[in-house]
Amino acid sequence: GAVVSQHPSWVICKSGTSVKIECRSLDFQATTMFWYRQFPKQSLMLMATSNEGSKATYEQGVEKDKFLINHASLTLSTLTVTSAHPEDSSFYICSARDNLAGTSKPQHFGDGTRLSIL
Amino acid sequence: ELKVEQNPLFLSMQEGKNYTIYCNYSTTSDRLYWYRQDPGKSLESLFVLLSNGAVKQEGRLMASLDTKARLSTLHITAAVHDLSATYFCAAAGGTSYGKLTFGQGTILTVHP
């Protein structure tokens, strides 16, 4: 079945560091990918919609200069948390829509990246 | 703005019992999804519901959709410990790019 690979799975770094998270669709092409953030025991909150070849669409309240998204190919989107601080610590999950699957099929989710900022 | 509310948020139940999780959404949605999340893991797709009256079943789980009431249910039959997880419903709006709004999640614990 379709697989979305997210890397790294866990990052621990110092405050002020920038961290890049990759989201790859391994066996399908995805014009659209989504980035979510999940705090402990809370739901998933959509941060932004990543569109191949164009600028990402950010949800209200999400700083585009803080969370840089690049979707340079049909199989790869990256999220860079710039100058990360402890309040950015969270579980980040990406998902991707198979271009050929149609809207009736579920999105495929990556395994998530646990980000801890010290 | 589409809002999705689940209840209950926490559910502790005995093995062998039945229970239903409810998912209400605020505006018209053309797709309703149910996902399972185990601790520290990402989401596993359970069901996709596309039309009014849709019912889908997989093992001990059955999901239904009533678009007129803007309500979906996830029914658990004869619960077993392996079903312990967090369950999310998510609704998709009318846009073509599939933006999802998630409910708060229901933490299910099944005990002997």
Side-chain angles (χ1 to χ4, degrees):
Chain A
V3 176
V4 173
S5 172
Q6 198 171 330
H7 174 81
S9 55
W10 200 353
V11 180
I12 302 174
C13 57
K14 291 182 178 179
S15 186
T17 307
S18 291
V19 178
K20 180 186 282 189
I21 303 170
E22 292 186 349
C23 180
R24 287 181 190 275
S25 56
L26 296 186
D27 55 359
F28 64 95
Q29 294 185 328
T31 300
T32 304
M33 293 186 181
F34 303 90
W35 288 96
Y36 297 87
R37 181 166 53 184
Q38 184 181 32
F39 292 108
K41 304 230 182 273
Q42 293 189 24
S43 188
L44 279 74
M45 298 298 295
L46 180 66
M47 300 174 66
T49 302
S50 170
N51 302 298
E52 186 268 336
S54 63
K55 290 183 180 179
T57 304
Y58 290 81
E59 294 301 301
Q60 193 171 12
V62 178
E63 301 174 57
K64 56 184 70 176
D65 294 332
K66 172 78 172 176
F67 299 99
L68 300 179
I69 291 173
N70 184 280
H71 194 153
S73 78
L74 288 172
T75 58
L76 174 65
S77 175
T78 61
L79 168 69
T80 301
V81 184
T82 61
S83 187
H85 292 286
E87 58 267 28
D88 298 321
S89 298
S90 186
F91 191 51
Y92 293 85
I93 307 175
C94 71
S95 71
R97 281 194 52 210
D98 185 340
N99 285 358
L100 301 179
T103 56
S104 64
K105 300 295 183 183
Q107 298 172 14
H108 304 287
F109 283 82
D111 286 337
T113 297
R114 190 161 304 281
L115 176 62
S116 298
I117 308 297
L118 305 177
Chain B
E1 181 190 352
L2 177 60
K3 292 186 179 178
V4 180
E5 290 198 358
Q6 278 178 247
N7 72 85
L9 301 182
F10 298 93
L11 177 57
S12 178
M13 56 191 297
Q14 267 189 313
E15 281 189 327
K17 298 293 187 183
N18 306 331
Y19 207 82
T20 300
I21 300 170
Y22 297 89
C23 174
N24 288 93
Y25 52 98
S26 60
T27 64
T28 302
S29 173
D30 54 6
R31 280 155 282 145
L32 196 293
Y33 302 86
W34 283 96
Y35 291 92
R36 168 181 171 145
Q37 186 179 37
D38 290 300
K41 304 290 186 181
S42 191
L43 275 70
E44 173 191 351
S45 175
L46 296 174
F47 301 107
V48 181
L49 303 168
L50 301 176
S51 59
N52 188 42
V55 176
K56 291 197 174 179
Q57 183 163 5
E58 181 73 35
R60 301 175 189 274
L61 301 177
M62 183 172 71
S64 67
L65 179 62
D66 180 343
T67 58
K68 294 180 181 177
R70 294 179 186 156
L71 170 69
S72 180
T73 62
L74 180 67
H75 186 73
I76 304 155
T77 302
V80 293
H81 179 69
D82 286 351
L83 290 179
S84 297
T86 299
Y87 292 85
F88 291 96
C89 65
T95 55
S96 62
Y97 59 82
K99 176 177 164 180
L100 295 181
T101 301
F102 281 81
Q104 306 97 313
T106 298
I107 300 175
L108 171 65
T109 304
V110 181
H111 54 88

